[in-house]
Amino acid sequence: MCLKEITNKIRSMSLEEKIGQLNQAGLWDFELLCEEVRKGRVGSVILADSATAGNDEQQRVIIDQLNELQRIAVEESPSHIPLIFGRDIIHGYRTVLPVPLAAAASFNPDVVEKAYRAVAYEAANDGVHWTFSPMIDISRDPRWGRCIEGFGEDPYLTSKMGQSVIRGFQNADNKKGDSIAACAKHYLGYGAVEGGRDYGKAEISEYTLRNYYLKPFKAAIEADVATVMNSFSEISGQPVVSSRYLLHDLLKDELGFRGFVISDWAAVAQLVTQGVAKDRKEAAALSANAELDMDMVDGCYIDYLSGLVAEGKVSEETIDKMVYRVLYIKEKFGLFEHPFITRQKIDYQEHLELSKQCSDEVITLLKNKDVLPLDRSKKIALLGPFLHEKRSLLGSWTWDFDIRMVKSIAEVFEEYAGRELLVFPQSNYLWDDIIPALGDVDTVILALGESYRVSGENNCLANIDLPKEQLELAKRIKGLGKKVIGVFCFGRPIGLGEADIYFDAILYAWQAGTCAARSIVDIIYGKVNPSGKLPITFPRSTGQIPIYYNYHTMPRNGMGYYGEGSNYLDCCSTPMYPFGYGMSYTKFAYSEARCEKTALTLEELKNGKKFKVGVTVTNTGEYDGKETVQCYVRDLLATMARPVRELKGFSKILLKRGEFKEVVFELGSEELGFYNGKGEFCVEPGEFDIFIGGDCTTNNKIKITAVSETEN
Ligand code: NOJ
């Protein structure tokens, strides 16, 4: 169907049929749903049993059910329009990838894109047309359980990762039905909920909104994301789900989003709970007039829009615009041509390898006092609550996995190491049993972690420090004089301030998916050289939150994160581990940053000229390895306070032993400018420090200048 045909189709539909297209129903009562579909009262079905599906046991997709519903829609419903089936495929289907926060630690959008392509293929093969992913909310608060679903604290990294996930999901041949539509969520500012309390209120100024929270959405639209989901929350008193400014003026008119907006679960009806609508009918009017296109499960649109049009409170023209967007996406993803599921044979082994590539690249070495890679001749013992764990290695928001594909850390070690290994059988040991058993053991590998149930939606923590029992275990083992390698399987950053000293090495393994344990063991034995870098700052303790690398210059104690002064009497201001940080088994030497031409006029920048800032990186160590070269900008003088550093480029390179490579970053208006308080984008004249190095604290810098015409 071409675009004109969509318009004609809409003309031929009754108001009720149109409203049906804006209604997403649940799958609770199959017979009832069939009836509703037959009447043309359903445009989409969400394949989930509950709102917080990320952590609940859920029914699997039943292909015959989907085909039957689709048959009714295309053969028996009045307008014969196919349904679009949506399910939360967040970071995996049968094959599970690292949680998104961990994926960001790879700093490798290509690897991530390929892996998500495989996931899309698996989901599409079961009839899923649409996923509610990626989550591209900036999160600076690891107490917020949903920080694991996003890509961390930085808008640039989040934008790049979001785009690669969108491309992975969407960019196969749509018409063949092996792509799925993506959904950028939760628009807007959901990650800024106060205190990390899910669903809470966010206070965001226009300046912060545009310079931080909006950027990943702009990038998602550039990557042609099919749909956008609203945030449950309010921004400064305005619930997003009823904000015409955010959903229409900014998203559609200004950013040029062409797909449709889906509400989050029952978010329209929640306007009543938020005290903004007196009843569900008024809620439907508010959201429809904001042009929130599709209503997820609460039935407000299907129950009230027809009456609201009759009363003149919502115009039919508005409804038509919303329906157009829904049909445009259905057409784009080939639903009119291929409404039914055509199953293909999947090579799961290939997908497993893609997942392994991801987990190899996300695991982040935070500390290594010459214990890793581990000498195979050493006698080691394996201990800790995550040693035999499988389910939690997959993280939150996974429900279609095949647990038989997952191995525990103990299982993989046993395959590798054989006799010299002492594996403690369960996690609740008696200390008196441990001490004698550890007698001649040289090194203890302590597998620690948090359940997949303490992160994700509505799973926030007031305290993110290492759980007490785990801290105690580490302390006691270190007290025996053993070398301790901590393998940390957490979805979020944790406060390591108190715990750090008890570990000789810290391998932050996140919750890295189906191949997590294989990657952990490969890294411990040096088969894989770790290359993950932190996408989010690790605080020393919970009390330091929020702590993020791109904070603004303060009038006093301004460089706290970077080592000078503190705003606390009882804690320093530096993080435990900064943004962008991660070790390797090899060493990388950076040349001084250089730039051929260090001054450009504003006119030149406006016309697309860019500074080319480069560096040579050499692998001076003993192993081949991958390094993420990072480029940060600091605007030294501006009309608004600007961040101390802002990531504006990164490049992950593989360097063999002794090899060197030149890496060049291009910096133009987009990288040097910012949105001022009035929402205008501006590039101001003056000097900028450009930092290039292996994490955000690098001091390898060069000055460049944007020259105003009058100075020239
Ligand atoms: C609520 C969550 O906030 C959202 O991210 C998810 O996609 C929907 N539920 C659907 O399950």
Side-chain angles (χ1 to χ4, degrees):
M1 211 175 1
C2 67
L3 300 186
K4 186 136 187 294
E5 284 170 322
I6 296 179
T7 312
N8 289 340
K9 178 88 192 166
I10 295 171
R11 279 205 195 106
S12 74
M13 291 162 75
S14 70
L15 178 63
E16 278 66 29
E17 286 161 42
K18 293 183 207 172
I19 294 168
Q21 287 303 310
L22 309 180
N23 179 36
Q24 183 177 66
L27 222 172
W28 300 281
D29 182 334
F30 185 66
E31 293 308 317
L32 188 68
L33 181 59
C34 290
E35 214 31 56
E36 290 290 282
V37 172
R38 194 168 280 118
K39 290 183 190 151
R41 286 166 54 83
V42 180
S44 170
V45 177
I46 181 167
L47 309 175
D49 309 339
S50 63
T52 53
N55 277 330
D56 303 335
E57 291 302 311
Q58 295 279 322
Q59 184 173 307
R60 297 265 163 142
V61 173
I62 303 173
I63 295 171
D64 289 347
Q65 271 190 349
L66 303 192
N67 271 334
E68 175 58 5
L69 284 167
Q70 195 67 298
R71 189 197 60 72
I72 296 172
V74 295
E75 290 175 11
E76 297 178 18
S77 79
S79 54
H80 307 295
I81 296 175
L83 297 162
I84 179 165
F85 295 116
R87 185 169 175 88
D88 289 280
I89 314 297
I90 305 299
H91 57 103
Y93 196 70
R94 206 68 80 227
T95 310
V96 179
L97 311 177
V99 293
L101 183 60
S106 73
F107 276 77
N108 193 336
D110 295 339
V111 161
V112 168
E113 181 177 335
K114 279 192 201 113
Y116 272 84
R117 175 94 292 287
V119 168
Y121 192 37
E122 291 180 5
N125 209 37
D126 272 5
V128 178
H129 303 132
W130 172 25
T131 174
F132 307 114
S133 169
M135 187 187 101
I136 50 175
D137 298 312
I138 299 297
S139 67
R140 295 166 165 177
D141 193 333
R143 290 171 298 182
W144 187 48
R146 303 202 79 169
C147 75
I148 73 137
E149 292 174 52
F151 303 108
E153 73 191 32
D154 182 66
Y156 183 83
L157 178 61
T158 300
S159 298
K160 294 291 168 204
M161 287 296 161
Q163 287 183 326
S164 67
V165 169
I166 291 164
R167 282 194 293 264
F169 279 136
Q170 293 192 168
N171 285 11
D173 180 1
N174 292 337
K175 304 281 171 181
K176 259 177 56 200
D178 54 7
S179 265
I180 58 178
C183 179
K185 71 186 189 187
H186 304 84
Y187 179 86
L188 184 64
Y190 187 35
V193 286
E194 288 175 345
R197 290 181 289 270
D198 209 5
Y199 315 129
K201 162 179 185 272
E203 272 301 336
I204 312 176
S205 67
E206 183 76 8
Y207 177 72
T208 305
L209 198 78
R210 285 184 178 265
N211 286 305
Y212 297 93
Y213 293 95
L214 188 62
K215 282 191 169 170
F217 287 93
K218 194 166 175 276
I221 292 165
E222 278 159 21
D224 215 11
V225 69
T227 65
V228 166
M229 183 187 288
N230 73 277
S231 154
F232 277 129
S233 304
E234 59 167 87
I235 300 180
S236 310
Q238 170 62 62
V240 177
V241 71
S242 60
S243 167
R244 185 166 171 88
Y245 167 66
L246 292 175
L247 298 178
H248 178 270
D249 303 352
L250 184 57
L251 182 70
K252 294 174 178 171
D253 271 2
E254 190 182 319
L255 299 184
F257 172 59
R258 298 187 65 199
F260 69 87
V261 181
I262 172 81
S263 80
D264 201 344
W265 188 283
V268 176
Q270 277 166 209
L271 283 168
V272 179
T273 328
Q274 283 171 291
V276 168
K278 73 171 182 296
D279 51 27
R280 291 171 66 242
K281 182 174 176 183
E282 193 175 48
L286 286 170
S287 287
N289 283 323
E291 294 191 28
L292 175 118
D293 304 298
M294 189 183 276
D295 178 12
M296 185 187 281
V297 303
D298 61 24
C300 290
Y301 278 13
I302 198 74
D303 289 349
Y304 298 109
L305 277 187
S306 171
L308 285 163
V309 171
E311 289 166 29
K313 291 191 174 141
V314 174
S315 74
E316 191 158 351
E317 197 195 341
T318 301
I319 305 281
D320 286 357
K321 276 159 68 183
M322 291 152 73
V323 176
Y324 182 91
R325 288 175 175 271
V326 173
L327 298 193
Y328 168 69
I329 292 302
K330 287 187 175 181
E331 151 62 20
K332 195 166 174 202
F333 283 81
L335 288 172
F336 287 97
E337 260 180 72
H338 297 283
F340 299 105
I341 305 164
T342 36
R343 307 261 303 160
Q344 302 176 43
K345 195 162 164 22
I346 290 186
D347 181 352
Y348 284 102
Q349 188 51 40
E350 192 189 312
H351 292 189
L352 215 54
E353 279 157 27
L354 290 167
S355 176
K356 171 74 167 47
Q357 275 174 32
C358 278
S359 42
D360 281 353
E361 296 219 9
V362 309
I363 295 178
T364 312
L365 182 62
L366 297 180
K367 179 176 182 182
N368 187 12
K369 283 164 62 186
D370 284 338
V371 274
L372 289 175
L374 195 67
D375 181 346
R376 268 175 187 264
S377 64
K378 292 267 155 54
K379 177 150 187 202
I380 61 166
L382 304 181
L383 208 66
F386 261 60
L387 194 54
H388 302 279
E389 178 60 36
K390 292 186 181 180
R391 173 63 188 90
S392 283
L393 297 180
L394 304 180
S396 172
W397 282 109
T398 42
W399 43 358
D400 295 296
F401 57 83
D402 180 349
I403 202 73
R404 290 167 309 177
M405 290 161 75
V406 186
K407 291 201 168 159
S408 70
I409 297 174
E411 281 171 351
V412 184
F413 259 109
E414 274 162 347
E415 284 171 11
Y416 250 82
R419 283 180 299 120
E420 288 307 309
L421 195 66
L422 176 64
V423 182
F424 283 84
Q426 79 256 334
S427 46
N428 295 326
Y429 336 87
L430 288 174
W431 189 242
D432 289 346
D433 296 340
I434 296 179
I435 297 180
L438 287 181
D440 60 342
V441 163
D442 178 82
T443 305
V444 175
I445 293 176
L446 207 48
L448 307 173
E450 68 182 3
S451 159
Y452 72 99
R453 286 181 174 275
V454 298
S455 61
E457 186 173 353
N458 204 17
N459 289 324
C460 304
L461 294 177
N463 180 0
I464 59 149
D465 299 344
L466 183 66
K468 282 253 165 324
E469 340 63 75
Q470 303 196 19
L471 176 68
E472 195 53 31
L473 192 59
K475 203 171 181 172
R476 287 184 151 204
I477 293 170
K478 193 67 207 154
L480 297 176
K482 306 292 171 195
K483 294 209 176 92
V484 184
I485 298 172
V487 176
F488 288 74
C489 305
F490 291 81
R492 53 157 70 79
I494 57 167
L496 284 166
E498 201 187 335
D500 199 81
I501 51 168
Y502 304 117
F503 295 92
D504 296 279
I506 295 180
L507 198 60
Y508 214 79
W510 308 95
Q511 290 173 335
T514 307
C515 297
R518 296 172 178 92
S519 294
I520 290 167
V521 179
D522 277 352
I523 289 178
I524 287 180
Y525 280 122
K527 194 167 160 197
V528 170
N529 190 351
S531 64
K533 298 268 190 176
L534 296 180
I536 187 166
T537 298
F538 272 46
R540 293 173 186 276
S541 66
T542 308
Q544 278 186 314
I545 298 169
I547 178 169
Y548 47 92
Y549 87 95
N550 50 358
Y551 73 95
H552 291 186
T553 322
M554 287 188 263
R556 302 174 70 175
N557 293 342
M559 295 296 283
Y561 188 105
Y562 296 91
E564 292 162 31
S566 176
N567 304 97
Y568 298 114
L569 294 177
D570 58 349
C571 179
C572 55
S573 280
T574 54
M576 189 73 219
Y577 294 109
F579 177 85
Y581 169 81
M583 299 171 79
S584 166
Y585 293 152
T586 193
K587 291 195 169 51
F588 300 104
Y590 281 72
S591 72
E592 278 183 15
R594 54 181 177 265
C595 181
E596 259 171 44
K597 195 167 177 214
T598 54
L600 290 174
T601 65
L602 289 180
E603 192 59 23
E604 285 174 317
L605 286 165
K606 205 168 130 206
N607 293 333
K609 272 233 158 120
K610 295 185 176 201
F611 292 97
K612 294 196 172 85
V613 187
V615 79
T616 303
V617 186
T618 310
N619 181 345
T620 55
E622 297 303 312
Y623 302 83
D624 298 348
K626 288 182 180 166
E627 168 70 336
T628 299
V629 185
Q630 301 158 43
C631 176
Y632 297 86
V633 170
R634 179 176 182 183
D635 187 345
L636 289 164
L637 182 66
T639 49
M640 304 283 285
R642 301 292 302 133
V644 177
R645 292 175 191 199
E646 262 191 314
L647 184 72
K648 292 296 176 183
F650 61 83
S651 173
K652 190 162 190 172
I653 51 170
L654 169 68
L655 289 175
K656 298 205 172 300
R657 278 173 60 179
E659 195 187 357
F660 62 89
K661 273 185 189 155
E662 191 187 17
V663 178
V664 176
F665 297 99
E666 300 205 348
L667 304 170
S669 294
E670 201 186 322
E671 290 75 24
L672 302 177
F674 65 95
Y675 289 90
N676 63 21
K678 292 182 225 134
E680 301 153 347
F681 188 75
C682 54
V683 186
E684 296 185 341
E687 290 180 336
F688 298 81
D689 273 342
I690 310 301
F691 298 84
I692 303 186
D695 66 56
C696 74
T697 64
T698 177
N699 278 324
N700 185 18
K701 64 177 178 184
I702 184 162
K703 220 175 265 319
I704 59 170
T705 312
V707 185
S708 85
E709 281 66 44
T710 48
E711 287 170 52
N712 210 8

